[in-house]
Amino acid sequence: MSNSKVVYEGWMVRYGRRKIGRSFIHMRYFVLESRLLAYYKRKPQDNVVPIQTLVIDGNCRVEDRGLKTQQGLMVYVLSIYNKKDKYHRITMAAFNIQEALIWKEKIESVIDQHQESLVTNGNKFVTFEYKPGMDSGRNASSSDQESQCSGGEDEDDSNPNLLRRTTIGNGPPESILDWTQESSALASQNTANQAISRKHWRLLQCQNGLRIFEELLEVDFLPKSCSRAMKATGVVEATCEEIFELVMSMDGTRSEWDCSFQDGSLVEEVDGHTAILYHRLQLDWFPTFVWPRDLCYVRYWRRNDDGSYAVVLFCSREHENCGPQPGYVRAHIESGGFNISPLKPRNGKPRTQVQHLMQIDLKGWGVGYISSFQQYCLLQMLNSVAGLREYFAQTDERTVPPRIPVMVNMSSSYVPKKNALKNQLTPYHNREQSLDNAAKLMDEYSDDDEDFQIPEEEAYRVEQELKREAVQEEPVVQIDLSSFSGSLRRDDNESARDCWRISDGNNFRVRSKRFCYDKSKMPGGKHLMDLVAVDWFKDTKRMDHVARRPGCAAQVAAEKGHFSLVFNLQVPGSTNYSMIFYFVTPELVPGSLVQRFVDGDDEFRNSRMKLIPSVPKGSWIVRQSVGSTPCLLGKAVDCNYIRGANYLEVDVDIGSSTVANGVLGLVIGAITSLVVDMAFLVQANTTDELPERLIGVVRISHLELSSAVVPKFESDP
């Protein structure tokens, strides 16, 4: 057993980039002892060699590096080093800030204990040399250096009690007004160039359980299109850390509590506390006549000594990679943000006061001068505090790591109409790519060597080059969709009826890379195969093996050398209906989960074939009956698999299940009023298979039974 007491231990994140340019995110097991910090690939047993160690003594420091966005995932980073040898350090990170703060506190307490030896040893640190076998019987890694801690004086030795840095990074940018400062001295310092004092507010109204305040202007200098500063104050039953993590996210989860949020992405990460973001607003004030607004702004955050968070200092900023976008008016944030402060618990539940301030110039030559437009939009944004309150009141999912998609270059201000749509959709595509890449790179038990890493400055340069290459290489093989056709037409217009179109994969939640550890899920992202056609058939008998029909999409794909995955959803009744989806890919990736599903036996297929349904538009009873819970088709209903030379057809007999048949009766009865989304995927069960990837997604809008056609089959031999 160990001769040295274990102070704290647990799983943490290791991230970085290798010399070859490949990023990695690993889960590693860290162990803090009274004189040593080490980490391992797995929870260590006796005589296990650590990957890296660092001797802890009074010369050590814990550097808070704030937030780091790694392939769309945000982690909270700590760096531990010895000030006598700053190049020998251990960097660790956590997906939630609570865990990072616990580690910071534990490591600093061990450092403080060693600093107390200053008094008892003549104001000099006791030299400690780590040698193999001195600790718990675990051997030191060969790459570790021994710590030679001399008693030499330097700038920090004069004060044995280390000054703990508040997590403020490099401080706010000069152009940003810190409205959370209460001290008049601080206020006068930070607002020397501001014409407005933030000290005087009046209660404007109470709405949705919030108090809405309006600033009392001392000098009326603002342009007519700029609103007065307003703030909403409310109480949320959650911890500061939980609210902070949710506020920092810019993925699809944000739309569940912020009704003004449409889309957001990262433009540039300045440091661990400062980032430049792109944000599209969803303001529904006469959307037919009023152009939508977007923002490019700098966001700075800090954590105060009392445990409160100031996710504050929103201020618009121009950026070369985020120029004006076609179809959007670029609004301007004068100042704003969130102030998150802890309150005393009540009835055993945590309570937090959340303030959200915003002063914004909505721009525009016409409606920007209409006061009702300004106030309506501003109140819609401030209502996000009520959204936070209701989100935590109605969900138990509080451990999802914050995510923020990374945006590619959007610097072109003037683009042709053909490229406009592509330019607007860039953040969506990049979101899918970043989340998927992050999940692929987060390998808990990777055997890759971590010794050969490159400095952060060089890593940033390589990262930018890889991003540019990724954008250029994204569509490797394009499938010519014009060669395929089906009986049900495709129409990408949202108001179209009796048609299909591709749904957004991010509307579906699939198992993440860490699902085996914390049951976490992530947005589905980009699909693996292309949906090229949909058939809507009817007949007096059940229609099996429809992929054999001459001229169908599966046969056309086979002629081109492509592989098809065909899903035939069979609806029984006096008239039998079948809806057939043709998913096509140029080739199956050898060894992939989809390839194993295609070439596996029926038992494996039945245990893995998954459907995720959703009814975004329809009656309440239908939406509740269908739900959005993933379903293993092979275990719920009878499935028949037909393996052709270049296709696999899955015939799903919905009528084989009493429960499914009952739900189907509700759906058929109201099918013309429904919009139905479906996602097909192969369930991933092990860490090697995770994260899950969508085979394909589809949206069926307001289907008409009368539009089904009778198929023509060749006579069976």
Side-chain angles (χ1 to χ4, degrees):
M1 296 297 292
S2 173
N3 296 324
S4 183
K5 179 183 177 182
V6 174
V7 178
Y8 197 66
E9 59 182 329
W11 291 99
M12 290 288 280
V13 178
R14 283 278 299 161
Y15 76 92
R17 185 177 295 283
R18 311 184 197 289
K19 287 186 177 179
I20 61 174
R22 182 190 172 206
S23 299
F24 67 84
I25 301 180
H26 299 321
M27 297 302 296
R28 294 292 182 248
Y29 198 85
F30 281 75
V31 177
L32 174 64
E33 299 177 354
S34 58
R35 290 186 172 184
L36 191 73
L37 176 65
Y39 67 91
Y40 305 78
K41 290 182 180 178
R42 296 174 176 84
K43 188 172 182 179
Q45 305 296 329
D46 290 340
N47 299 320
V48 175
V49 178
I51 299 175
Q52 187 179 359
T53 60
L54 179 69
V55 175
I56 302 296
D57 58 26
N59 287 315
C60 289
R61 298 291 182 267
V62 182
E63 180 183 357
D64 166 35
R65 293 192 174 182
L67 281 169
K68 171 70 177 177
T69 302
Q70 187 77 358
Q71 297 292 336
L73 291 173
M74 286 196 294
V75 292
Y76 302 84
V77 184
L78 301 176
S79 182
I80 303 92
Y81 66 93
N82 192 302
K83 66 184 180 182
K84 302 296 183 183
D85 183 8
K86 293 186 178 180
Y87 295 101
H88 181 52
R89 61 175 63 211
I90 289 181
T91 301
M92 59 197 304
F95 285 117
N96 61 78
I97 199 168
Q98 301 102 308
E99 188 66 20
L101 292 175
I102 291 174
W103 273 99
K104 185 173 185 287
E105 179 184 348
K106 297 292 184 182
I107 297 172
E108 287 177 340
S109 66
V110 174
I111 295 173
D112 286 341
Q113 292 174 9
H114 286 286
Q115 283 201 319
E116 291 176 359
S117 63
L118 282 169
V119 178
T120 58
N121 294 278
N123 286 338
K124 291 190 176 183
F125 294 124
V126 177
T127 302
F128 171 70
E129 183 176 355
Y130 175 76
K131 297 179 180 179
M134 288 185 64
D135 60 321
S136 58
R138 308 171 190 139
N139 298 323
S141 63
S142 59
S143 63
D144 291 338
Q145 302 175 2
E146 296 175 351
S147 176
Q148 305 292 340
C149 301
S150 67
E153 298 286 330
D154 69 10
E155 66 277 4
D156 288 334
D157 293 346
S158 59
N159 185 4
N161 295 321
L162 281 179
L163 178 64
R164 301 303 183 207
R165 259 184 59 189
T166 308
T167 55
I168 61 173
N170 295 325
E174 294 181 359
S175 62
I176 297 184
L177 171 66
D178 188 353
W179 56 273
T180 63
Q181 296 286 0
E182 295 296 331
S183 168
S184 59
L186 287 173
S188 62
Q189 272 187 340
N190 293 334
T191 62
N193 297 322
Q194 302 288 338
I196 304 177
S197 171
R198 302 291 175 189
K199 294 182 291 183
H200 304 291
W201 301 86
R202 74 177 181 92
L203 181 63
L204 183 66
Q205 59 177 287
C206 293
Q207 177 179 306
N208 294 333
L210 307 176
R211 292 183 300 156
I212 310 294
F213 294 87
E214 185 180 51
E215 178 197 28
L216 296 177
L217 290 179
E218 295 178 358
V219 180
D220 187 12
F221 76 102
L222 295 173
K224 291 185 178 180
S225 59
C226 185
S227 64
R228 292 188 181 188
M230 296 176 64
K231 69 176 179 180
T233 303
V235 176
V236 181
E237 288 189 347
T239 64
C240 289
E241 289 78 10
E242 291 169 343
I243 298 171
F244 173 77
E245 292 178 3
L246 199 61
V247 167
M248 296 297 282
S249 292
M250 295 284 280
D251 63 351
T253 308
R254 191 181 186 98
S255 60
E256 297 181 27
W257 58 269
D258 187 353
C259 60
S260 66
F261 175 81
Q262 178 185 346
D263 172 56
S265 53
L266 175 68
V267 179
E268 181 186 349
E269 195 170 62
V270 180
D271 58 40
H273 290 259
T274 309
I276 297 176
L277 306 176
Y278 176 73
H279 188 147
R280 284 175 175 165
L281 298 174
Q282 185 165 310
L283 306 174
D284 55 357
W285 194 85
F286 293 100
T288 305
F289 306 99
V290 179
W291 278 30
R293 263 58 176 174
D294 66 354
L295 300 163
C296 180
Y297 61 95
V298 58
R299 181 189 68 187
Y300 165 80
W301 71 274
R302 72 165 184 269
R303 182 178 184 271
N304 301 324
D305 289 330
D306 61 356
S308 65
Y309 293 85
V311 186
V312 295
L313 315 183
F314 295 169
C315 185
S316 284
R317 174 77 60 84
E318 294 182 359
H319 195 278
E320 59 181 0
N321 291 338
C322 189
Q325 298 303 298
Y328 285 83
V329 174
R330 180 61 54 87
H332 182 86
I333 298 178
E334 296 291 336
S335 65
F338 291 84
N339 192 17
I340 306 169
S341 306
L343 299 175
K344 291 183 179 179
R346 182 176 295 174
N347 299 326
K349 295 182 178 180
R351 296 167 64 244
T352 300
Q353 183 190 69
V354 179
Q355 297 182 56
H356 183 19
L357 178 142
M358 187 63 68
Q359 183 182 16
I360 187 170
D361 185 352
L362 293 168
K363 299 295 185 179
W365 62 270
V367 294
Y369 295 92
I370 303 176
S371 59
S372 59
F373 169 68
Q374 300 169 18
Q375 190 174 50
Y376 178 90
C377 296
L378 197 52
L379 288 175
Q380 186 176 345
M381 298 171 72
L382 295 179
N383 264 323
S384 61
V385 179
L388 283 169
R389 183 190 63 221
E390 295 304 312
Y391 177 89
F392 283 107
Q394 300 176 29
T395 183
D396 293 324
E397 186 175 302
R398 302 191 177 193
T399 59
V400 178
R403 295 185 175 93
I404 177 168
V406 180
M407 186 177 68
V408 297
N409 194 301
M410 295 174 64
S411 58
S412 177
S413 301
Y414 303 97
V415 294
K417 290 186 177 179
K418 290 183 179 179
N419 296 330
L421 180 60
K422 180 180 179 181
N423 200 21
Q424 292 180 31
L425 291 178
T426 299
Y428 292 95
H429 296 321
N430 211 58
R431 170 188 301 165
E432 298 164 359
Q433 183 183 14
S434 62
L435 293 180
D436 292 345
N437 289 344
K440 289 178 183 177
L441 296 171
M442 196 165 61
D443 182 4
E444 283 79 1
Y445 298 121
S446 170
D447 293 328
D448 293 340
D449 188 8
E450 293 186 1
D451 293 338
F452 301 99
Q453 298 180 28
I454 55 180
E456 288 189 358
E457 295 78 7
E458 185 180 353
Y460 178 79
R461 179 183 58 79
V462 174
E463 183 177 355
Q464 299 304 313
E465 294 175 356
L466 288 177
K467 285 180 184 177
R468 289 193 290 269
E469 294 174 4
V471 173
Q472 296 171 358
E473 298 175 0
E474 191 172 343
V476 178
V477 179
Q478 291 284 356
I479 295 178
D480 183 11
L481 302 181
S482 62
S483 306
F484 303 93
S485 63
S487 62
L488 188 66
R489 68 186 178 91
R490 174 175 180 171
D491 193 330
D492 292 332
N493 190 340
E494 292 188 2
S495 60
R497 303 179 64 86
D498 196 25
C499 61
W500 69 273
R501 66 185 180 97
I502 304 296
S503 182
D504 185 357
N506 287 318
N507 293 334
F508 301 92
R509 306 281 291 176
V510 299
R511 294 180 174 184
S512 72
K513 185 68 177 176
R514 304 189 72 247
F515 180 83
C516 293
Y517 302 93
D518 56 13
K519 303 299 180 183
S520 63
K521 293 190 175 183
M522 56 181 272
K526 187 172 178 59
H527 42 81
L528 295 172
M529 305 178 72
D530 291 315
L531 179 59
V532 298
V534 176
D535 281 327
W536 178 223
F537 291 156
K538 64 180 178 181
D539 206 343
T540 55
K541 60 182 183 299
R542 195 177 70 184
M543 290 156 280
D544 297 327
H545 196 185
V546 294
R548 74 180 190 275
R549 189 174 61 89
C552 74
Q555 297 294 333
V556 174
E559 294 173 359
K560 295 177 176 292
H562 300 331
F563 185 86
S564 302
L565 197 50
V566 183
F567 293 96
N568 178 12
L569 304 186
Q570 301 169 327
V571 182
S574 56
T575 300
N576 289 270
Y577 293 91
S578 275
M579 179 160 284
I580 304 101
F581 306 100
Y582 300 91
F583 296 97
V584 176
T585 184
E587 60 180 356
L588 292 175
V589 178
S592 65
L593 188 55
V594 175
Q595 183 269 323
R596 289 166 51 202
F597 170 80
V598 168
D599 295 330
D601 56 23
D602 288 357
E603 182 179 357
F604 178 79
R605 292 166 176 164
N606 285 333
S607 66
R608 296 300 188 94
M609 187 65 251
K610 184 186 287 186
L611 170 70
I612 306 178
S614 176
V615 182
K617 184 177 181 181
S619 65
W620 180 86
I621 189 170
V622 173
R623 285 187 280 112
Q624 293 299 313
S625 300
V626 175
S628 59
T629 303
C631 171
L632 287 174
L633 288 177
K635 295 186 177 182
V637 295
D638 293 340
C639 293
N640 186 34
Y641 303 92
I642 301 104
R643 180 69 162 92
N646 288 84
Y647 66 85
L648 173 68
E649 178 177 332
V650 184
D651 292 340
V652 183
D653 183 8
I654 300 177
S656 61
S657 167
T658 305
V659 175
N661 221 7
V663 174
L664 185 63
L666 289 173
V667 173
I668 292 295
I671 195 168
T672 57
S673 63
L674 299 180
V675 174
V676 181
D677 284 352
M678 287 177 281
F680 298 89
L681 65 156
V682 181
Q683 179 168 288
N685 291 339
T686 66
T687 54
D688 294 335
E689 298 170 345
L690 291 168
E692 288 182 334
R693 296 293 306 275
L694 298 175
I695 293 174
V697 291
V698 63
R699 169 167 291 187
I700 306 296
S701 300
H702 308 288
L703 189 66
E704 298 284 351
L705 294 178
S706 59
S707 66
V709 299
V710 179
K712 294 181 180 180
F713 295 95
E714 284 187 346
S715 299
D716 292 331

